[in-house]
């Protein structure tokens, strides 16, 4: 599959490398000349320019790619890139900072396919979203971390709790939540766990079974 990544900072660069390692083709756009040079040195086709501009995205091949990731530190650029990508039938994934208020999240959430917070998801979440998954992948992220999804049974001790209040004692964190048969997304502050919900977990490699037992009983 082919992708356009707008922004070659920490998140964009890692996402691009992970996608390439899995056999996909990635084109990079950035308005910083040094970052474009670095992307080129890393072996990517890269273009200098504003990723929120149609002419630049067309140079990068937006008409022929599967998805566009707006992964810069500027939500306005990211949103513009995603809206242009949507016009060309692309899946759209937008990065915003965890520091932004909920109304900012809600402003963008209805218009893009996925919103990712690098503070919560990092490049692995962005990569999963770009591939069209709803964060229901199970796999190893690094030598020390694991990514997994679980379905909450009726008898789980966390039923009725707010997702944001669930404490995994430093062994990991819940980074996405979905109702039954609905896509998984970043849980909002008021999200309460219900039977049948799905949770995406990021845990220490040796802590996954312990965390699952703690959550599900």
């Amino acid at each position: 599959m082919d992708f356009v990544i707008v922004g070659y900072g920490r998140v964009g660069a890692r996402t691009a490398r992970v996608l390439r390692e899995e056999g996909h083709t990635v084109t990079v756009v950035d308005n910083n000349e040094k970052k474009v040079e670095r992307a080129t040195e890393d072996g990517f086709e890269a273009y200098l320019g504003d990723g929120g501009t149609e002419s630049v995205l067309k140079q990068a091949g937006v008409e022929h790619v599967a998805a566009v990731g707006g992964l810069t530190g500027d939500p306005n650029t990211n949103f513009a890139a995603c809206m242009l990508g949507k016009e060309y039938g692309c899946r759209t994934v937008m990065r915003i900072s965890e520091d932004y208020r909920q109304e900012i999240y809600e402003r963008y959430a209805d218009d893009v396919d996925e919103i990712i917070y690098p503070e919560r998801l990092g490049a692995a979440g962005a990569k999963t979203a770009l591939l069209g998954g709803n964060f229901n992948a199970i796999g190893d992220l690094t030598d020390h971390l694991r990514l997994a999804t679980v379905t909450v049974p009726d008898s789980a001790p966390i039923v009725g709790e707010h997702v944001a209040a669930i404490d995994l004692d430093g062994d990991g964190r819940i980074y996405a939540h979905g109702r039954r048969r609905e896509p998984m997304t970043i849980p909002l502050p008021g999200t309460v766990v219900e039977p049948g919900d799905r949770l995406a977990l990021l845990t220490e490699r040796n802590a996954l079974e312990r965390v699952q037992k703690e959550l599900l009983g």
Side-chain angles (χ1 to χ4, degrees):
M1 298 172 70
D2 296 340
F3 301 95
V4 169
I5 298 293
V6 177
Y8 201 70
R10 178 177 54 85
V11 175
R14 179 56 182 159
T15 304
R17 288 195 294 268
V18 171
L19 285 166
R20 183 174 61 187
E21 287 169 5
E22 296 191 357
H24 304 289
T25 300
V26 179
T27 302
V28 171
V29 174
D30 201 294
N31 63 2
N32 183 298
E33 188 172 353
K34 290 184 177 179
K35 290 181 179 180
V36 170
E37 290 176 357
R38 185 166 72 245
T40 302
E41 291 170 357
D42 290 342
F44 294 103
E45 185 175 357
Y47 293 87
L48 178 65
D50 181 355
T53 302
E54 184 173 14
S55 59
V56 175
L57 286 186
K58 288 182 73 172
Q59 270 189 300
V62 68
E63 298 160 290
H64 310 293
V65 301
V68 171
L71 305 183
T72 77
D74 180 357
N76 294 317
T77 297
N78 295 343
F79 185 68
C82 287
M83 291 302 93
L84 288 168
K86 209 170 232 346
E87 289 184 14
Y88 289 96
C90 301
R91 179 175 177 79
T92 55
V93 176
M94 176 183 170
R95 169 191 172 181
I96 66 173
S97 169
E98 196 172 33
D99 296 332
Y100 283 98
R101 300 184 302 276
Q102 183 173 334
E103 56 263 34
I104 301 298
Y105 172 94
E106 293 172 348
R107 170 185 167 189
Y108 295 123
D110 292 337
D111 294 316
V112 301
D113 292 306
E114 295 285 355
I115 288 181
I116 62 108
Y117 294 82
E119 296 88 346
R120 297 184 186 180
L121 302 182
K127 183 265 297 187
T128 303
L130 283 162
L131 288 172
N134 292 318
F135 303 104
N136 58 354
I138 299 177
D140 293 343
L141 296 182
T142 71
D143 290 339
H144 305 290
L145 299 177
R146 295 185 68 185
L147 175 68
T149 59
V150 297
T151 300
V152 179
D154 294 351
S155 59
I158 59 171
V159 170
E161 291 191 29
H162 286 84
V163 176
I166 297 174
D167 184 4
L168 301 181
D169 297 323
D171 288 329
R173 67 185 307 165
I174 297 170
Y175 72 84
H177 163 274
R179 299 293 183 203
R180 194 190 309 265
R181 294 185 298 276
E182 293 182 359
M184 298 181 78
T185 62
I186 302 298
L188 297 174
T191 302
V192 174
V193 179
E194 299 177 0
D197 286 359
R198 291 172 300 128
L199 302 174
L201 312 175
L202 181 66
T203 73
E204 295 289 336
R205 175 178 290 275
N206 297 326
L208 179 59
E209 291 185 9
R210 181 169 65 255
V211 168
Q212 288 177 316
K213 184 176 181 180
E214 179 182 340
L215 294 176
L216 308 181

